[in-house]
Amino acid sequence: MTAQAAIVGTTTWGTTLGIILARNGVRAGILARTPQEEDQLNSRRENRRFLPGVSFPEALSVGSDPEQVIGPADVVILAVPSEHFRRNASWVAPFVSSGTTVVSAAKGLELPNGNRMSQVLQEVLPPAVSENVCVISGPNLAREVAEKKPSATVVASGNEEKAAYVQELLMSPTLRVYTSEDVTGVELGGTLKNIIAIGAGIADGMGMGQNSKSTLITRGLAEMTRLGTAAGAQYLTFAGLAGLGDLVATCYSQLSRNRFTGEQLALGRTWPQIRDIMENVVEGVNTTGAALAMAERLDVEMPIAQVTYRILFEDLPPREAMAELMSRPPHSEW
């Protein structure tokens, strides 16, 4: 395969995507933040900070000059936290040529307006490039993907050819890639599940049992679907890999930062205390406020997200939050 790819972000997921592409024979370059980071990653041939023990394939390199890394690329993937997404997209936009496919691999909403990352790209990129935007999401715990454990993901785009192109580049014997036209649903599925995963972690930390956790996940999926369809997403997307699939993986995995955050909240730690011990960004924290702002605009009820926000930012005790949810007025499930 003669394609050339660029990945913006030396994050766990960004590094993993670069490794997957390089294993598939794609010339891949990761854009580092500084020349020092570039030298360190190239000399060690692994990302010891975020993905220790997984070696870089020969076709993967790291550079810090955006013109050299981004300019020749057929596909550019932005794998940075949502809070830094606009700044990074603006940084590389001048070097993206008109035919380049641009992929968002971030799972978050922009504060304070709640923009999805594809909407940020539409604003930042030139019109000729913004038509080529794709998003990728699914049950993709990065370390498992990097370790060649069988996984699947979804690439969505309004441009069917571009989605198929990214599918071709990433498909491998251990990573099955599906396509979708529902950009809104795929993005919101991957974003909103982080809020529910914090709640699932709280249930774990409180020792509430599997009935409680299963109920929270299922009713959380209902919240995700209500908000997503109100925003224009397709209902069935939330029953697929980018919805239910990602939700289950994030709510149960010991690798999930959002689940871990909820567990620590239940054990009595505050969000600032948890943040200080975290190496990676916990997307679900900022997403909670952004999602509630979106829900208010669209007149959508999200009781789990509401109590999660109050636990994070208003010191609501988790047991009081659980009692509030259990004492809501009865109504039909659907």
Side-chain angles (χ1 to χ4, degrees):
M1 193 174 291
T2 59
Q4 187 160 340
I7 300 91
V8 181
T10 57
T11 56
T12 311
W13 188 220
T15 304
T16 297
L17 288 169
I19 289 171
I20 294 296
L21 288 163
R23 286 174 179 168
N24 286 348
V26 178
R27 292 177 57 197
I30 298 178
L31 182 61
R33 290 166 293 184
T34 64
Q36 292 75 24
E37 185 179 43
E38 171 191 356
D39 292 342
Q40 184 181 79
L41 291 172
N42 279 327
S43 62
R44 292 176 174 175
R45 302 302 299 164
E46 71 175 70
N47 189 336
R48 292 184 185 174
R49 180 183 180 192
F50 292 126
L51 202 62
V54 182
S55 299
F56 290 176
E58 184 177 347
L60 179 62
S61 61
V62 182
S64 57
D65 183 339
E67 184 173 10
Q68 293 181 1
V69 177
I70 304 296
D74 304 300
V75 57
V76 174
I77 301 175
L78 286 96
V80 295
S82 57
E83 62 187 275
H84 306 306
F85 195 90
R86 182 178 292 271
R87 176 171 56 81
N88 279 275
S90 300
W91 177 36
V92 303
F95 308 102
V96 179
S97 60
S98 59
T100 303
T101 303
V102 180
V103 183
S104 166
K107 295 182 177 181
L109 297 173
E110 185 179 53
L111 290 172
N113 52 23
N115 279 346
R116 293 176 282 109
M117 298 302 102
S118 66
Q119 293 174 313
V120 174
L121 290 174
Q122 296 287 340
E123 294 177 6
V124 170
L125 296 172
V129 181
S130 63
E131 297 175 355
N132 302 333
V133 167
C134 302
V135 301
I136 183 170
S137 193
N140 303 141
L141 297 159
R143 174 161 286 278
E144 292 188 3
V145 176
E147 292 177 347
K148 301 183 180 180
K149 295 179 179 178
S151 304
T153 193
V154 181
V155 175
S157 179
N159 186 325
E160 185 178 348
E161 291 184 3
K162 292 298 183 180
Y165 179 59
V166 177
Q167 178 187 44
E168 178 186 3
L169 295 180
L170 288 171
M171 183 81 86
S172 77
T174 58
L175 180 63
R176 185 163 180 80
V177 184
Y178 294 85
T179 60
S180 170
E181 62 180 20
D182 186 12
V183 174
T184 301
V186 169
E187 280 191 287
L188 287 179
T191 295
L192 298 175
K193 56 86 186 180
N194 287 326
I195 304 172
I196 309 306
I198 293 174
I202 292 171
D204 285 342
M206 293 172 62
M208 298 301 291
Q210 297 308 309
N211 286 342
S212 297
K213 187 172 180 178
S214 177
T215 299
L216 186 141
I217 290 171
T218 306
R219 296 311 302 164
L221 180 61
E223 289 191 19
M224 292 166 54
T225 306
R226 282 199 300 269
L227 183 59
T229 53
Q234 297 174 14
Y235 184 88
L236 281 177
T237 299
F238 294 91
L241 288 167
L244 178 61
D246 201 1
L247 177 65
V248 170
T250 310
C251 287
Y252 277 96
S253 174
Q254 296 297 313
L255 298 174
S256 168
R257 299 185 292 271
N258 292 281
R259 193 209 64 81
F260 174 81
T261 296
E263 188 175 51
Q264 295 302 303
L265 288 167
L267 295 176
R269 293 183 174 86
T270 65
W271 163 236
Q273 290 172 334
I274 300 166
R275 181 181 56 207
D276 289 343
I277 64 173
M278 297 294 286
E279 186 73 25
N280 287 285
V281 171
V282 182
E283 286 281 18
V285 174
N286 284 342
T287 295
T288 304
L292 287 175
M294 182 189 298
E296 184 175 3
R297 290 197 305 271
L298 297 174
D299 193 26
V300 173
E301 188 179 29
M302 297 188 73
I304 295 173
Q306 288 171 345
V307 298
T308 302
Y309 180 89
R310 290 168 59 199
I311 293 169
L312 283 164
F313 300 111
E314 297 177 2
D315 298 323
L316 175 68
R319 292 198 177 275
E320 289 186 22
M322 185 67 71
E324 283 190 25
L325 290 174
M326 293 300 292
S327 61
R328 295 180 69 244
H331 55 78
S332 169
E333 181 178 17
W334 302 115

PDB file of all heavy atoms in Angstrom, residues 165-197:
ATOM      1  N   TYR A 165     -12.073   4.579   2.186  1.00  0.00           N
ATOM      2  CA  TYR A 165     -10.613   4.692   2.086  1.00  0.00           C
ATOM      3  C   TYR A 165      -9.957   4.481   3.453  1.00  0.00           C
ATOM      4  O   TYR A 165      -8.982   3.730   3.591  1.00  0.00           O
ATOM      5  CB  TYR A 165     -10.245   6.062   1.522  1.00  0.00           C
ATOM      6  CG  TYR A 165      -8.761   6.313   1.404  1.00  0.00           C
ATOM      7  CD1 TYR A 165      -7.949   5.494   0.626  1.00  0.00           C
ATOM      8  CD2 TYR A 165      -8.161   7.387   2.073  1.00  0.00           C
ATOM      9  CE1 TYR A 165      -6.585   5.732   0.501  1.00  0.00           C
ATOM     10  CE2 TYR A 165      -6.811   7.636   1.959  1.00  0.00           C
ATOM     11  CZ  TYR A 165      -6.028   6.803   1.172  1.00  0.00           C
ATOM     12  OH  TYR A 165      -4.675   7.037   1.065  1.00  0.00           O
ATOM     13  N   VAL A 166     -10.499   5.126   4.484  1.00  0.00           N
ATOM     14  CA  VAL A 166      -9.961   4.953   5.833  1.00  0.00           C
ATOM     15  C   VAL A 166     -10.170   3.514   6.295  1.00  0.00           C
ATOM     16  O   VAL A 166      -9.295   2.921   6.941  1.00  0.00           O
ATOM     17  CB  VAL A 166     -10.606   5.955   6.811  1.00  0.00           C
ATOM     18  CG1 VAL A 166     -10.092   5.732   8.234  1.00  0.00           C
ATOM     19  CG2 VAL A 166     -10.325   7.388   6.368  1.00  0.00           C
ATOM     20  N   GLN A 167     -11.304   2.932   5.978  1.00  0.00           N
ATOM     21  CA  GLN A 167     -11.562   1.528   6.293  1.00  0.00           C
ATOM     22  C   GLN A 167     -10.476   0.636   5.704  1.00  0.00           C
ATOM     23  O   GLN A 167      -9.935  -0.251   6.370  1.00  0.00           O
ATOM     24  CB  GLN A 167     -12.933   1.133   5.742  1.00  0.00           C
ATOM     25  CG  GLN A 167     -13.314  -0.332   5.950  1.00  0.00           C
ATOM     26  CD  GLN A 167     -14.604  -0.684   5.221  1.00  0.00           C
ATOM     27  OE1 GLN A 167     -14.802  -0.302   4.059  1.00  0.00           O
ATOM     28  NE2 GLN A 167     -15.494  -1.381   5.918  1.00  0.00           N
ATOM     29  N   GLU A 168     -10.125   0.874   4.435  1.00  0.00           N
ATOM     30  CA  GLU A 168      -9.109   0.072   3.764  1.00  0.00           C
ATOM     31  C   GLU A 168      -7.753   0.207   4.436  1.00  0.00           C
ATOM     32  O   GLU A 168      -7.022  -0.779   4.611  1.00  0.00           O
ATOM     33  CB  GLU A 168      -9.003   0.507   2.299  1.00  0.00           C
ATOM     34  CG  GLU A 168      -7.940  -0.242   1.504  1.00  0.00           C
ATOM     35  CD  GLU A 168      -7.761   0.327   0.107  1.00  0.00           C
ATOM     36  OE1 GLU A 168      -8.421   1.328  -0.219  1.00  0.00           O
ATOM     37  OE2 GLU A 168      -6.942  -0.225  -0.644  1.00  0.00           O
ATOM     38  N   LEU A 169      -7.407   1.411   4.848  1.00  0.00           N
ATOM     39  CA  LEU A 169      -6.101   1.643   5.468  1.00  0.00           C
ATOM     40  C   LEU A 169      -5.968   0.960   6.821  1.00  0.00           C
ATOM     41  O   LEU A 169      -4.891   0.472   7.179  1.00  0.00           O
ATOM     42  CB  LEU A 169      -5.847   3.142   5.626  1.00  0.00           C
ATOM     43  CG  LEU A 169      -5.715   3.989   4.364  1.00  0.00           C
ATOM     44  CD1 LEU A 169      -5.456   5.442   4.743  1.00  0.00           C
ATOM     45  CD2 LEU A 169      -4.608   3.467   3.458  1.00  0.00           C
ATOM     46  N   LEU A 170      -7.054   0.921   7.605  1.00  0.00           N
ATOM     47  CA  LEU A 170      -6.983   0.450   8.986  1.00  0.00           C
ATOM     48  C   LEU A 170      -7.348  -1.025   9.156  1.00  0.00           C
ATOM     49  O   LEU A 170      -6.969  -1.640  10.156  1.00  0.00           O
ATOM     50  CB  LEU A 170      -7.906   1.291   9.882  1.00  0.00           C
ATOM     51  CG  LEU A 170      -7.449   2.718  10.173  1.00  0.00           C
ATOM     52  CD1 LEU A 170      -8.550   3.492  10.882  1.00  0.00           C
ATOM     53  CD2 LEU A 170      -6.177   2.728  11.005  1.00  0.00           C
ATOM     54  N   MET A 171      -8.081  -1.590   8.215  1.00  0.00           N
ATOM     55  CA  MET A 171      -8.521  -2.976   8.359  1.00  0.00           C
ATOM     56  C   MET A 171      -7.334  -3.927   8.454  1.00  0.00           C
ATOM     57  O   MET A 171      -6.377  -3.830   7.687  1.00  0.00           O
ATOM     58  CB  MET A 171      -9.384  -3.376   7.162  1.00  0.00           C
ATOM     59  CG  MET A 171      -9.958  -4.784   7.258  1.00  0.00           C
ATOM     60  SD  MET A 171     -11.439  -4.894   8.288  1.00  0.00           S
ATOM     61  CE  MET A 171     -12.689  -4.477   7.068  1.00  0.00           C
ATOM     62  N   SER A 172      -7.396  -4.823   9.416  1.00  0.00           N
ATOM     63  CA  SER A 172      -6.318  -5.787   9.606  1.00  0.00           C
ATOM     64  C   SER A 172      -6.904  -7.087  10.153  1.00  0.00           C
ATOM     65  O   SER A 172      -8.091  -7.137  10.504  1.00  0.00           O
ATOM     66  CB  SER A 172      -5.267  -5.239  10.580  1.00  0.00           C
ATOM     67  OG  SER A 172      -5.719  -5.329  11.916  1.00  0.00           O
ATOM     68  N   PRO A 173      -6.103  -8.143  10.253  1.00  0.00           N
ATOM     69  CA  PRO A 173      -6.623  -9.396  10.799  1.00  0.00           C
ATOM     70  C   PRO A 173      -7.144  -9.283  12.232  1.00  0.00           C
ATOM     71  O   PRO A 173      -7.938 -10.119  12.681  1.00  0.00           O
ATOM     72  CB  PRO A 173      -5.422 -10.339  10.719  1.00  0.00           C
ATOM     73  CG  PRO A 173      -4.596  -9.802   9.604  1.00  0.00           C
ATOM     74  CD  PRO A 173      -4.742  -8.321   9.703  1.00  0.00           C
ATOM     75  N   THR A 174      -6.708  -8.242  12.968  1.00  0.00           N
ATOM     76  CA  THR A 174      -7.153  -8.089  14.360  1.00  0.00           C
ATOM     77  C   THR A 174      -7.981  -6.827  14.595  1.00  0.00           C
ATOM     78  O   THR A 174      -8.405  -6.581  15.724  1.00  0.00           O
ATOM     79  CB  THR A 174      -5.943  -8.076  15.311  1.00  0.00           C
ATOM     80  OG1 THR A 174      -5.061  -7.019  14.943  1.00  0.00           O
ATOM     81  CG2 THR A 174      -5.206  -9.408  15.266  1.00  0.00           C
ATOM     82  N   LEU A 175      -8.212  -6.037  13.550  1.00  0.00           N
ATOM     83  CA  LEU A 175      -9.049  -4.847  13.681  1.00  0.00           C
ATOM     84  C   LEU A 175     -10.031  -4.806  12.511  1.00  0.00           C
ATOM     85  O   LEU A 175      -9.644  -4.569  11.368  1.00  0.00           O
ATOM     86  CB  LEU A 175      -8.224  -3.560  13.699  1.00  0.00           C
ATOM     87  CG  LEU A 175      -9.041  -2.254  13.843  1.00  0.00           C
ATOM     88  CD1 LEU A 175      -9.790  -2.228  15.183  1.00  0.00           C
ATOM     89  CD2 LEU A 175      -8.151  -1.026  13.713  1.00  0.00           C
ATOM     90  N   ARG A 176     -11.282  -5.071  12.832  1.00  0.00           N
ATOM     91  CA  ARG A 176     -12.321  -5.046  11.806  1.00  0.00           C
ATOM     92  C   ARG A 176     -12.934  -3.654  11.770  1.00  0.00           C
ATOM     93  O   ARG A 176     -13.344  -3.120  12.812  1.00  0.00           O
ATOM     94  CB  ARG A 176     -13.376  -6.105  12.097  1.00  0.00           C
ATOM     95  CG  ARG A 176     -14.421  -6.227  11.015  1.00  0.00           C
ATOM     96  CD  ARG A 176     -15.206  -7.526  11.114  1.00  0.00           C
ATOM     97  NE  ARG A 176     -16.202  -7.609  10.040  1.00  0.00           N
ATOM     98  CZ  ARG A 176     -15.927  -7.960   8.791  1.00  0.00           C
ATOM     99  NH1 ARG A 176     -14.683  -8.268   8.450  1.00  0.00           N
ATOM    100  NH2 ARG A 176     -16.879  -8.008   7.874  1.00  0.00           N
ATOM    101  N   VAL A 177     -13.020  -3.059  10.587  1.00  0.00           N
ATOM    102  CA  VAL A 177     -13.480  -1.679  10.444  1.00  0.00           C
ATOM    103  C   VAL A 177     -14.769  -1.649   9.626  1.00  0.00           C
ATOM    104  O   VAL A 177     -14.832  -2.189   8.516  1.00  0.00           O
ATOM    105  CB  VAL A 177     -12.406  -0.808   9.752  1.00  0.00           C
ATOM    106  CG1 VAL A 177     -12.866   0.651   9.695  1.00  0.00           C
ATOM    107  CG2 VAL A 177     -11.068  -0.924  10.477  1.00  0.00           C
ATOM    108  N   TYR A 178     -15.797  -1.021  10.190  1.00  0.00           N
ATOM    109  CA  TYR A 178     -17.074  -0.836   9.496  1.00  0.00           C
ATOM    110  C   TYR A 178     -17.212   0.633   9.098  1.00  0.00           C
ATOM    111  O   TYR A 178     -16.554   1.506   9.678  1.00  0.00           O
ATOM    112  CB  TYR A 178     -18.244  -1.227  10.400  1.00  0.00           C
ATOM    113  CG  TYR A 178     -18.301  -2.699  10.735  1.00  0.00           C
ATOM    114  CD1 TYR A 178     -17.550  -3.211  11.799  1.00  0.00           C
ATOM    115  CD2 TYR A 178     -19.099  -3.569  10.004  1.00  0.00           C
ATOM    116  CE1 TYR A 178     -17.600  -4.569  12.115  1.00  0.00           C
ATOM    117  CE2 TYR A 178     -19.156  -4.927  10.322  1.00  0.00           C
ATOM    118  CZ  TYR A 178     -18.410  -5.408  11.377  1.00  0.00           C
ATOM    119  OH  TYR A 178     -18.457  -6.752  11.682  1.00  0.00           O
ATOM    120  N   THR A 179     -18.071   0.913   8.121  1.00  0.00           N
ATOM    121  CA  THR A 179     -18.327   2.298   7.724  1.00  0.00           C
ATOM    122  C   THR A 179     -19.757   2.685   8.083  1.00  0.00           C
ATOM    123  O   THR A 179     -20.630   1.834   8.281  1.00  0.00           O
ATOM    124  CB  THR A 179     -18.111   2.506   6.214  1.00  0.00           C
ATOM    125  OG1 THR A 179     -19.016   1.657   5.479  1.00  0.00           O
ATOM    126  CG2 THR A 179     -16.673   2.199   5.824  1.00  0.00           C
ATOM    127  N   SER A 180     -19.981   3.985   8.158  1.00  0.00           N
ATOM    128  CA  SER A 180     -21.295   4.528   8.479  1.00  0.00           C
ATOM    129  C   SER A 180     -21.406   5.914   7.862  1.00  0.00           C
ATOM    130  O   SER A 180     -20.397   6.598   7.657  1.00  0.00           O
ATOM    131  CB  SER A 180     -21.477   4.624   9.999  1.00  0.00           C
ATOM    132  OG  SER A 180     -22.650   5.359  10.339  1.00  0.00           O
ATOM    133  N   GLU A 181     -22.635   6.329   7.584  1.00  0.00           N
ATOM    134  CA  GLU A 181     -22.870   7.698   7.122  1.00  0.00           C
ATOM    135  C   GLU A 181     -23.319   8.603   8.267  1.00  0.00           C
ATOM    136  O   GLU A 181     -23.456   9.813   8.094  1.00  0.00           O
ATOM    137  CB  GLU A 181     -23.950   7.699   6.027  1.00  0.00           C
ATOM    138  CG  GLU A 181     -25.290   7.181   6.497  1.00  0.00           C
ATOM    139  CD  GLU A 181     -26.356   7.175   5.427  1.00  0.00           C
ATOM    140  OE1 GLU A 181     -26.000   7.204   4.237  1.00  0.00           O
ATOM    141  OE2 GLU A 181     -27.550   7.135   5.785  1.00  0.00           O
ATOM    142  N   ASP A 182     -23.541   8.022   9.446  1.00  0.00           N
ATOM    143  CA  ASP A 182     -24.084   8.768  10.591  1.00  0.00           C
ATOM    144  C   ASP A 182     -22.957   9.375  11.425  1.00  0.00           C
ATOM    145  O   ASP A 182     -22.596   8.853  12.488  1.00  0.00           O
ATOM    146  CB  ASP A 182     -24.956   7.843  11.446  1.00  0.00           C
ATOM    147  CG  ASP A 182     -25.671   8.587  12.574  1.00  0.00           C
ATOM    148  OD1 ASP A 182     -25.670   9.833  12.566  1.00  0.00           O
ATOM    149  OD2 ASP A 182     -26.222   7.912  13.465  1.00  0.00           O
ATOM    150  N   VAL A 183     -22.423  10.473  10.958  1.00  0.00           N
ATOM    151  CA  VAL A 183     -21.316  11.134  11.659  1.00  0.00           C
ATOM    152  C   VAL A 183     -21.758  11.572  13.051  1.00  0.00           C
ATOM    153  O   VAL A 183     -21.057  11.372  14.050  1.00  0.00           O
ATOM    154  CB  VAL A 183     -20.807  12.337  10.842  1.00  0.00           C
ATOM    155  CG1 VAL A 183     -19.759  13.120  11.627  1.00  0.00           C
ATOM    156  CG2 VAL A 183     -20.232  11.868   9.509  1.00  0.00           C
ATOM    157  N   THR A 184     -22.930  12.190  13.144  1.00  0.00           N
ATOM    158  CA  THR A 184     -23.425  12.686  14.436  1.00  0.00           C
ATOM    159  C   THR A 184     -23.565  11.548  15.436  1.00  0.00           C
ATOM    160  O   THR A 184     -23.121  11.654  16.591  1.00  0.00           O
ATOM    161  CB  THR A 184     -24.786  13.381  14.248  1.00  0.00           C
ATOM    162  OG1 THR A 184     -24.643  14.465  13.327  1.00  0.00           O
ATOM    163  CG2 THR A 184     -25.310  13.923  15.574  1.00  0.00           C
ATOM    164  N   GLY A 185     -24.163  10.441  15.020  1.00  0.00           N
ATOM    165  CA  GLY A 185     -24.381   9.329  15.938  1.00  0.00           C
ATOM    166  C   GLY A 185     -23.101   8.664  16.385  1.00  0.00           C
ATOM    167  O   GLY A 185     -22.930   8.334  17.567  1.00  0.00           O
ATOM    168  N   VAL A 186     -22.172   8.453  15.452  1.00  0.00           N
ATOM    169  CA  VAL A 186     -20.901   7.814  15.804  1.00  0.00           C
ATOM    170  C   VAL A 186     -20.113   8.693  16.766  1.00  0.00           C
ATOM    171  O   VAL A 186     -19.527   8.208  17.743  1.00  0.00           O
ATOM    172  CB  VAL A 186     -20.097   7.490  14.536  1.00  0.00           C
ATOM    173  CG1 VAL A 186     -18.672   7.067  14.882  1.00  0.00           C
ATOM    174  CG2 VAL A 186     -20.782   6.380  13.746  1.00  0.00           C
ATOM    175  N   GLU A 187     -20.106   9.997  16.524  1.00  0.00           N
ATOM    176  CA  GLU A 187     -19.394  10.898  17.443  1.00  0.00           C
ATOM    177  C   GLU A 187     -20.056  10.947  18.813  1.00  0.00           C
ATOM    178  O   GLU A 187     -19.373  10.845  19.840  1.00  0.00           O
ATOM    179  CB  GLU A 187     -19.336  12.308  16.855  1.00  0.00           C
ATOM    180  CG  GLU A 187     -18.267  12.503  15.815  1.00  0.00           C
ATOM    181  CD  GLU A 187     -18.079  13.956  15.461  1.00  0.00           C
ATOM    182  OE1 GLU A 187     -18.965  14.507  14.777  1.00  0.00           O
ATOM    183  OE2 GLU A 187     -17.052  14.546  15.838  1.00  0.00           O
ATOM    184  N   LEU A 188     -21.363  11.114  18.841  1.00  0.00           N
ATOM    185  CA  LEU A 188     -22.036  11.246  20.139  1.00  0.00           C
ATOM    186  C   LEU A 188     -22.028   9.929  20.906  1.00  0.00           C
ATOM    187  O   LEU A 188     -21.961   9.932  22.138  1.00  0.00           O
ATOM    188  CB  LEU A 188     -23.474  11.740  19.941  1.00  0.00           C
ATOM    189  CG  LEU A 188     -23.604  13.212  19.546  1.00  0.00           C
ATOM    190  CD1 LEU A 188     -25.068  13.589  19.360  1.00  0.00           C
ATOM    191  CD2 LEU A 188     -22.953  14.129  20.584  1.00  0.00           C
ATOM    192  N   GLY A 189     -22.082   8.800  20.210  1.00  0.00           N
ATOM    193  CA  GLY A 189     -21.977   7.527  20.917  1.00  0.00           C
ATOM    194  C   GLY A 189     -20.659   7.422  21.662  1.00  0.00           C
ATOM    195  O   GLY A 189     -20.616   7.081  22.850  1.00  0.00           O
ATOM    196  N   GLY A 190     -19.559   7.728  20.977  1.00  0.00           N
ATOM    197  CA  GLY A 190     -18.246   7.645  21.587  1.00  0.00           C
ATOM    198  C   GLY A 190     -18.010   8.682  22.657  1.00  0.00           C
ATOM    199  O   GLY A 190     -17.181   8.494  23.562  1.00  0.00           O
ATOM    200  N   THR A 191     -18.757   9.777  22.585  1.00  0.00           N
ATOM    201  CA  THR A 191     -18.584  10.876  23.537  1.00  0.00           C
ATOM    202  C   THR A 191     -19.432  10.678  24.788  1.00  0.00           C
ATOM    203  O   THR A 191     -18.934  10.745  25.917  1.00  0.00           O
ATOM    204  CB  THR A 191     -18.962  12.205  22.851  1.00  0.00           C
ATOM    205  OG1 THR A 191     -18.045  12.471  21.784  1.00  0.00           O
ATOM    206  CG2 THR A 191     -18.938  13.356  23.830  1.00  0.00           C
ATOM    207  N   LEU A 192     -20.719  10.425  24.601  1.00  0.00           N
ATOM    208  CA  LEU A 192     -21.644  10.371  25.730  1.00  0.00           C
ATOM    209  C   LEU A 192     -21.427   9.144  26.609  1.00  0.00           C
ATOM    210  O   LEU A 192     -21.715   9.174  27.811  1.00  0.00           O
ATOM    211  CB  LEU A 192     -23.084  10.400  25.213  1.00  0.00           C
ATOM    212  CG  LEU A 192     -23.486  11.657  24.431  1.00  0.00           C
ATOM    213  CD1 LEU A 192     -24.896  11.517  23.875  1.00  0.00           C
ATOM    214  CD2 LEU A 192     -23.372  12.912  25.296  1.00  0.00           C
ATOM    215  N   LYS A 193     -20.903   8.064  26.028  1.00  0.00           N
ATOM    216  CA  LYS A 193     -20.689   6.858  26.849  1.00  0.00           C
ATOM    217  C   LYS A 193     -19.694   7.115  27.969  1.00  0.00           C
ATOM    218  O   LYS A 193     -19.710   6.413  28.992  1.00  0.00           O
ATOM    219  CB  LYS A 193     -20.248   5.682  25.975  1.00  0.00           C
ATOM    220  CG  LYS A 193     -19.005   5.921  25.129  1.00  0.00           C
ATOM    221  CD  LYS A 193     -17.714   5.652  25.836  1.00  0.00           C
ATOM    222  CE  LYS A 193     -16.533   6.043  24.971  1.00  0.00           C
ATOM    223  NZ  LYS A 193     -15.232   5.800  25.615  1.00  0.00           N
ATOM    224  N   ASN A 194     -18.829   8.119  27.821  1.00  0.00           N
ATOM    225  CA  ASN A 194     -17.860   8.416  28.880  1.00  0.00           C
ATOM    226  C   ASN A 194     -18.545   8.899  30.160  1.00  0.00           C
ATOM    227  O   ASN A 194     -18.074   8.633  31.266  1.00  0.00           O
ATOM    228  CB  ASN A 194     -16.856   9.464  28.396  1.00  0.00           C
ATOM    229  CG  ASN A 194     -15.874   8.916  27.388  1.00  0.00           C
ATOM    230  OD1 ASN A 194     -15.483   7.753  27.467  1.00  0.00           O
ATOM    231  ND2 ASN A 194     -15.463   9.730  26.439  1.00  0.00           N
ATOM    232  N   ILE A 195     -19.655   9.613  29.991  1.00  0.00           N
ATOM    233  CA  ILE A 195     -20.410  10.064  31.163  1.00  0.00           C
ATOM    234  C   ILE A 195     -20.977   8.860  31.908  1.00  0.00           C
ATOM    235  O   ILE A 195     -20.871   8.759  33.141  1.00  0.00           O
ATOM    236  CB  ILE A 195     -21.563  10.993  30.729  1.00  0.00           C
ATOM    237  CG1 ILE A 195     -21.031  12.182  29.921  1.00  0.00           C
ATOM    238  CG2 ILE A 195     -22.344  11.471  31.951  1.00  0.00           C
ATOM    239  CD1 ILE A 195     -22.143  13.016  29.299  1.00  0.00           C
ATOM    240  N   ILE A 196     -21.570   7.944  31.161  1.00  0.00           N
ATOM    241  CA  ILE A 196     -22.169   6.764  31.770  1.00  0.00           C
ATOM    242  C   ILE A 196     -21.093   5.887  32.407  1.00  0.00           C
ATOM    243  O   ILE A 196     -21.322   5.249  33.439  1.00  0.00           O
ATOM    244  CB  ILE A 196     -22.980   5.976  30.732  1.00  0.00           C
ATOM    245  CG1 ILE A 196     -23.951   6.900  29.989  1.00  0.00           C
ATOM    246  CG2 ILE A 196     -23.728   4.835  31.408  1.00  0.00           C
ATOM    247  CD1 ILE A 196     -24.865   7.714  30.890  1.00  0.00           C
ATOM    248  N   ALA A 197     -19.905   5.854  31.799  1.00  0.00           N
ATOM    249  CA  ALA A 197     -18.813   5.054  32.365  1.00  0.00           C
ATOM    250  C   ALA A 197     -18.367   5.604  33.713  1.00  0.00           C
ATOM    251  O   ALA A 197     -17.987   4.832  34.606  1.00  0.00           O
ATOM    252  CB  ALA A 197     -17.637   5.020  31.393  1.00  0.00           C
TER     253      ALA A 197
END
